[in-house]
Amino acid sequence: MITHQSPYYITTAIDYVNAAPHLGHAYEKIATDVIARFYRLQGRPVRFLTGTDEHGTKVAKTAESKGLDPKVYTDRMSEQFKDTWTCLNLTYDRFIRTTDPDHYEVVASLWKTMQAKEDIYKASYTGQYCPGCENFLLERDINEAGECQIHLKKPDAVEEENYFFKLSHYKDDLRTLLKSEGFIKPEFRKTEILNMLEELEDISVSRPTDSVSWGIPVPGDPGQTIYVWVDALSNYITGAGYQHDDSLFQTFWPADCHMIGKDILRFHALYWPAMLMSAGVELPKSVYAHGFINLNDAKISKSIGNVVSPQDLVNRFELQNADPIRYYLMTVTTFGQDGNFTEDDFKSRVNADLANNLGNLVNRSLNMTQKYFDGLVPVLAGVDSGTLYQPDPTYLAEMTAYYTGLSDGHEEKKKWKDGYVFPSAESEPRFLNALFRNSDGYLPSQPLDQLLDDVRFKYQCFDFEFALFTTFFHLINPVNQFIDAMAPWTLAKEGDTEKLARVLYSVLERIRQVAILIYPVTPLLAQNIFEQLGYTVSEKNKELTLNGQPLQWDNLYEPLPFGQAIHLTGPLLPRLDSEIVGASGKKK
RNA sequence: GGCAUAGUAGCUCAGCUGGUUAGAGCACACGGUUCAUACCCGUGCGGUCGGUGGUUCGAAUCCACCCUAUGCCA
C-alpha cells in the first residue's frame, strides 16, 4: 500500500437495536463500504466505523418484555447486525457499541470537558409525559384531542430537573460552519439546516435515572443519565481512538465523512459540531445525508409489515452473495435522493446488467480463450506488453483531427446519435489501438483515459449511479459490440490467429479493467473475474491482492500478462429466475 | 401550519445556470448472429415533462398558487 496518501475516515450512523436490521439500514452501510473500498483502491489508509446504539428506555423495555437483562439483549441484537453486515461483505474496521467500556469513558470525559467550559447547566423541564409510553411526547405524538396517539390518554404535565447544553451559544459559529463549502452534502440540504438555525434553543442532555436508567450516568450525579444524542454522537470519536489511542486519533480525526440518513441531519449538523466546539475537538469535514429506500413503493416499517433483511433477499432469489443487492441499491436512484427497491425491477436489472451484459461477456470471452488458445491469454507477437498504454502519436493525431473536424457540440451529438463509429474490417487495427491505448474508437467523443477518470470522479462525488452507468454503457456494452463486429469465431474458422489474438486480448484486457471499476460496488464479482482471468487472488487487510500485489486503481494501466492461464469456472452470475414472493412475506 | 426535497415514456431514472424534432436502461415488437448464461448485435414502438396561471422571441428547465409523496420542525 502507498502510505504517503492522506488517511480517510468514514462513519455510518449507529443503528438502534430496538429493531432488526433491514434493507434501509443496509443501504447506508453498503454505500459507506463502497466509499471505503474505493479509497483503499486509491491507496489511502481508510478507517470505516459502524456499530450499534444500545441505550435508552425503549431498549430496556424491550429487553424486559423478553425477560432479558438489557446487556444480554443488546449483545444478541448487535450480533444480529454484525451477521447482516457479514452477509453484505462490509469491510468495517471497528464495530462500535455504545455499551463498550471505552465509549463510556469517552462520553464521561466529553461531558466533563463541556461542563468545565460551563456549557452544561441544570434546569427544570416541563413536558407532556405519557405513562403508557414511559416517555415525553412530542407535538406530533399528540392528537387533536390532546391525547397520546398510541394510548389515547391525556399525558401528564411533568416537571423534572435536567441538564441542558448551551447549544444556542454556538449559533454564530454553527452558521459559519454550515455555510462553508462542502460541510453539508448534498448541497440542497444546506438551506433546510440553515433555516433551523434561527430557532435554535438549548437542548436537554440528561434524564433523571428514575425515568431512564439504561444509559451512561452523568459524572458526579448518579441521579441523572446522559441523554441519547450526547451518548450516540460521541461514538465517532471513540471509534477513532479519542483519549485511548493517540496515534490512531491523530491519524484519522477529524472524520472525512459522517454518512447518515436525512432524518438525523439536524443532530449531526448542529448538535454534534456544537458539542465538539465546546470540547475543543476538531470538527468533521462533512456530513452526508442520504435518502430513504422504499420497498415495493411502501415505506419500510414494521406496521406495514414489509421489513425485509438482506439475508431474506439472498435466500429468496437464491443469490450466491449480496453483490446483486449492492449493485441494485447503488444504481436504483441518484445517491442522496429517495429510491425504491422493487423486486421485479431488481430481478430484471440484475439479469440485464450483471448476468447478461457483464456476466455473459466474461463467459463468452473466456470460452473463446479456452477454445481458441487452450486457455492461455493470447500473446501478441512482437508487442511489448509494457508499452500497451503508451500514447501512440499516430493515433493521437488521428483523434485530434477528428475532434477538430467537429464544428460544435451539436454536430458531435449528431454523430453520437447516428451511431458509434463501427470498425470495419479495414479499420480494425485502429480499433485495437483504441481498446488498449489511450482512446476508444467506439466512442470518439470520449477517449478511454477520460472515461476511466470520469468513473473515478463519479465515485468521489458519491455518484454511484453514474459511475456504474458509465462503466456499463461506455465500457462494457462497447465490448459486446466489438466482439460482434470482429466475429472472432469467423477469424478462427479462417485461421487468422494473429488477428484473433489481438481481438481476444483486447476484450480480456477491457474486462480486467472493468473488474477494477466495479470492485467497490461488487467486490465478489470482481474477484471472480480476476480469478477466471487467471490471477491468484487473496484478501489481505480488507484489500484484494492479485498475484500477491494489492489491487489498486492504478492497475487500470497494467495490462493482463501475456500467456497467463485462465481459470474458466462457468457463469459469473446465473440469471435470477426464481418466482417472486410478495415483499410483505405473503405467499406468492 | 412552516422549511426542504421530489412528481418526466408501462417500470426505474437522466436532463447543469431556459434555446432547434425531451434522453437512457428495462419491458415490448421485428430483423441478424451463434463464441456465450433463451445470450449478444441492429431497428422500431412508446411521453401534451403532476395541475393551473405568469415572465420570455422561446420553459421540463424561472416565478406564483394548487394537488400528491417523503424528511425535519411547530
Side-chain angles (χ1 to χ4, degrees), chain A residues 212-486:
Chain A
V212 180
S213 59
W214 179 235
I216 301 175
V218 167
D221 188 348
Q224 293 273 327
T225 303
I226 293 177
Y227 196 49
V228 51
W229 284 107
V230 177
D231 178 352
L233 289 164
S234 308
N235 92 84
Y236 301 130
I237 51 174
T238 306
Y242 181 64
Q243 294 189 339
H244 284 78
D245 185 339
D246 285 346
S247 99
L248 186 73
F249 193 69
Q250 273 168 23
T251 305
F252 287 108
W253 193 261
D256 290 85
C257 180
H258 291 316
M259 179 62 70
I260 57 165
K262 63 181 181 178
D263 55 332
I264 53 174
L265 180 57
R266 176 192 183 83
F267 306 101
H268 286 76
L270 298 175
Y271 298 6
W272 178 230
M275 284 165 55
L276 292 172
M277 286 173 187
S278 172
V281 178
E282 269 192 275
L283 307 180
K285 292 175 194 162
S286 74
V287 175
Y288 194 102
H290 63 76
F292 288 168
I293 289 294
N294 285 347
L295 184 58
N296 296 329
D297 299 310
K299 237 193 279 194
I300 297 176
S301 87
K302 253 186 183 172
S303 54
I304 294 173
N306 65 346
V307 174
V308 170
S309 74
Q311 289 101 321
D312 292 336
L313 287 172
V314 167
N315 293 335
R316 180 168 303 161
F317 290 102
E318 298 176 338
L319 304 175
Q320 295 166 337
N321 56 58
D323 274 9
I325 300 173
R326 293 172 60 109
Y327 175 77
Y328 182 77
L329 285 176
M330 290 301 100
T331 53
V332 71
T333 189
T334 309
F335 196 65
Q337 299 291 352
D338 291 354
N340 188 25
F341 188 112
T342 317
E343 290 186 80
D344 34 4
D345 189 48
F346 170 71
K347 187 176 141 182
S348 72
R349 290 271 317 285
V350 167
N351 280 341
D353 294 349
L354 298 182
N356 298 347
N357 273 345
L358 176 61
N360 181 58
L361 168 65
V362 171
N363 195 230
R364 71 197 294 210
S365 311
L366 290 166
N367 260 302
M368 286 189 275
T369 309
Q370 189 69 45
K371 195 175 281 187
Y372 304 142
F373 292 94
D374 292 325
L376 300 178
V377 171
V379 177
L380 304 189
V383 175
D384 173 3
S385 70
T387 66
L388 288 180
Y389 284 109
Q390 282 176 9
D392 173 351
T394 314
Y395 186 66
L396 285 178
E398 207 176 313
M399 291 302 284
T400 307
Y402 178 80
Y403 293 131
T404 321
L406 299 174
S407 58
D408 56 23
H410 182 63
E411 191 176 333
E412 189 173 346
K413 194 176 169 187
K414 193 161 157 263
K415 286 226 177 198
W416 175 280
K417 279 183 96 170
D418 287 347
Y420 309 138
V421 178
F422 278 99
S424 62
E426 295 73 40
S427 68
E428 182 273 334
R430 175 188 159 189
F431 196 77
L432 279 175
N433 267 353
L435 271 176
F436 56 64
R437 292 198 184 254
N438 278 12
S439 302
D440 184 335
Y442 259 116
L443 299 173
S445 61
Q446 299 196 60
L448 176 61
D449 48 1
Q450 273 180 27
L451 279 172
L452 298 179
D453 269 356
D454 196 35
V455 174
R456 168 157 58 185
F457 181 68
K458 296 298 196 250
Y459 271 122
Q460 275 171 356
C461 300
F462 299 176
D463 198 345
F464 311 116
E465 191 197 11
F466 267 97
L468 290 163
F469 177 81
T470 302
T471 304
F472 275 79
F473 191 76
H474 293 312
L475 292 156
I476 296 176
N477 289 354
V479 183
N480 273 322
Q481 295 163 354
F482 177 66
I483 292 176
D484 270 39
M486 292 297 114

